[in-house]
Amino acid sequence: MAIERTFSIIKPDATRRNITGKIITKFEEAGLRVVAQRRIKMTTEQAESFYGVHRERPFFNDLVAFMTSGPVVVQVLEGENAVARNREVMGATNPADAADGTIRKEFAESIEANSVHGSDAPETAAEEIAFFFKDEEVVG
């Protein structure tokens, strides 16, 4: 199995409730290692650019408003099949559909305030990592 990296955001609903440590523990217990991490307050411009793929969707403005409503933790996770493993640990986008034991089942408040974001493919992960981190900030 290949060691790869993926991108993760712990969203404002989770930072507001001070559960970032519990979420990071879930990633680490699943065999993922944090190799870069920073707590930031995303600007409107950052959020609009980062979520630009959703610009034409009806939820875009609400998503941008939510992601800029408080601090987030941006991070790079590393491990075997990190993209797929991260998505498995996060659970389904809609917490009502998420499996027991997943982050979203345990911590999400709603489909929007679902505590975490994760890359959906290795190519997306590379783009998302580069959006927030310089190469020298990611250390194994």
Side-chain angles (χ1 to χ4, degrees), residues 1-56:
M1 300 249 166
I3 299 293
E4 63 185 14
R5 290 180 173 160
T6 192
F7 180 73
S8 168
I9 300 176
I10 300 176
K11 294 182 178 182
D13 63 294
T15 63
R16 174 178 42 79
R17 291 178 288 144
N18 202 30
I19 58 172
T20 57
K22 291 178 181 179
I23 291 171
I24 293 164
T25 296
K26 288 258 190 208
F27 291 132
E28 291 178 336
E29 288 175 347
L32 297 169
R33 198 161 61 115
V34 178
V35 294
Q37 185 179 72
R38 185 166 58 250
R39 184 181 184 97
I40 65 169
K41 177 82 165 62
M42 215 183 284
T43 66
T44 299
E45 294 76 23
Q46 280 178 311
E48 287 176 345
S49 179
F50 185 77
Y51 288 105
V53 67
H54 300 302
R55 189 171 303 280
E56 302 304 319

Side-chain angles (χ1 to χ4, degrees), residues 120-139:
D120 62 1
E123 301 76 23
T124 310
E127 292 170 13
E128 292 179 342
I129 290 167
F131 188 92
F132 286 102
F133 293 97
K134 297 175 187 164
D135 287 344
E136 63 269 16
E137 294 176 313
V138 181
V139 294

Side-chain angles (χ1 to χ4, degrees), residues 91-140:
T93 302
N94 183 344
D97 299 331
D100 288 343
T102 62
I103 292 168
R104 289 176 173 152
K105 186 67 161 191
E106 289 188 26
F107 302 120
E109 295 179 319
S110 67
I111 193 166
E112 179 185 76
N114 63 13
S115 300
V116 286
H117 160 89
S119 302
D120 62 1
E123 301 76 23
T124 310
E127 292 170 13
E128 292 179 342
I129 290 167
F131 188 92
F132 286 102
F133 293 97
K134 297 175 187 164
D135 287 344
E136 63 269 16
E137 294 176 313
V138 181
V139 294

Side-chain angles (χ1 to χ4, degrees), residues 75-86:
Q75 55 191 359
V76 180
L77 305 175
E78 181 180 80
E80 288 190 12
N81 295 316
V83 173
R85 188 74 186 121
N86 180 38

